[in-house]
């Protein structure tokens, strides 16, 4: 059974940092694209960052570029999202996603095969 379990969310002041983790089970990252979406209250779900072992591409949304870093530890089958210089507008539920292969459209939630349950990130002013 494939599972994605996020952790590391919490409450942080603006300018602070958090590191989200996503532990995957039931598959390995080889030939997969893994990443993060987020959804703030009253807003549409937004793609944040992805990395693909298929073509080596790493992607960041403009809103997080330069502040967030995606990485993986294949030995632990875990993907991370290091979030620095957090802003109140980063407040959202963050979801880990995975797709076998490389989705044609990275930013589309439905292009992925597996999704985690989400972890809340709250950034106070």
């Amino acid at each position: 059974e494939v599972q994605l379990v996020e952790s590391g969310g919490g409450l942080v002041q603006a300018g602070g940092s958090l590191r989200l983790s996503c532990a995957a089970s039931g598959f390995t990252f080889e030939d997969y694209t893994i990443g993060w979406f987020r959804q703030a209250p009253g807003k549409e779900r937004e793609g944040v960052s992805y990395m693909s072992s298929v073509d080596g591409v790493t992607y960041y949304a403009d809103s997080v570029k330069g502040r967030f870093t995606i990485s993986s530890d294949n030995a632990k089958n875990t993907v991370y999202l290091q979030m620095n210089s957090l802003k109140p507008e980063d407040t959202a539920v963050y979801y880990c996603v995975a797709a076998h292969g490389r989705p044609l459209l990275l930013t589309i939630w439905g292009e992925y095969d597996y999704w985690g349950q989400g972890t809340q990130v709250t950034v106070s002013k």
Side-chain angles (χ1 to χ4, degrees), residues 6-68:
E6 303 97 334
S7 61
L11 174 64
V12 64
Q13 286 188 329
S17 299
L18 282 175
R19 188 178 79 157
L20 304 183
S21 299
C22 173
S25 59
F27 72 101
T28 63
F29 293 158
E30 185 178 2
D31 295 329
Y32 270 79
T33 298
I34 51 177
W36 296 88
F37 280 75
R38 67 185 180 186
Q39 187 165 22
K43 294 188 177 181
E44 292 188 357
R45 194 179 292 120
E46 173 191 22
V48 176
S49 181
Y50 325 91
M51 59 189 305
S52 178
S53 66
V54 176
D55 57 10
V57 168
T58 300
Y59 165 90
Y60 295 96
D62 288 342
S63 57
V64 307
K65 206 171 289 183
R67 299 187 298 120
F68 290 11

Side-chain angles (χ1 to χ4, degrees), residues 63-116:
S63 57
V64 307
K65 206 171 289 183
R67 299 187 298 120
F68 290 11
T69 303
I70 190 171
S71 63
S72 66
D73 183 335
N74 291 348
K76 295 183 178 180
N77 227 33
T78 299
V79 61
Y80 304 98
L81 187 67
Q82 178 66 43
M83 305 186 296
N84 299 329
S85 302
L86 282 162
K87 304 175 181 179
E89 51 263 45
D90 294 318
T91 295
V93 178
Y94 284 70
Y95 298 92
C96 180
V97 298
H100 187 228
R102 206 273 200 193
L104 187 62
L105 298 172
L106 286 170
T107 58
I108 303 299
W109 176 266
E111 290 280 307
Y112 291 83
D113 301 309
Y114 307 108
W115 307 267

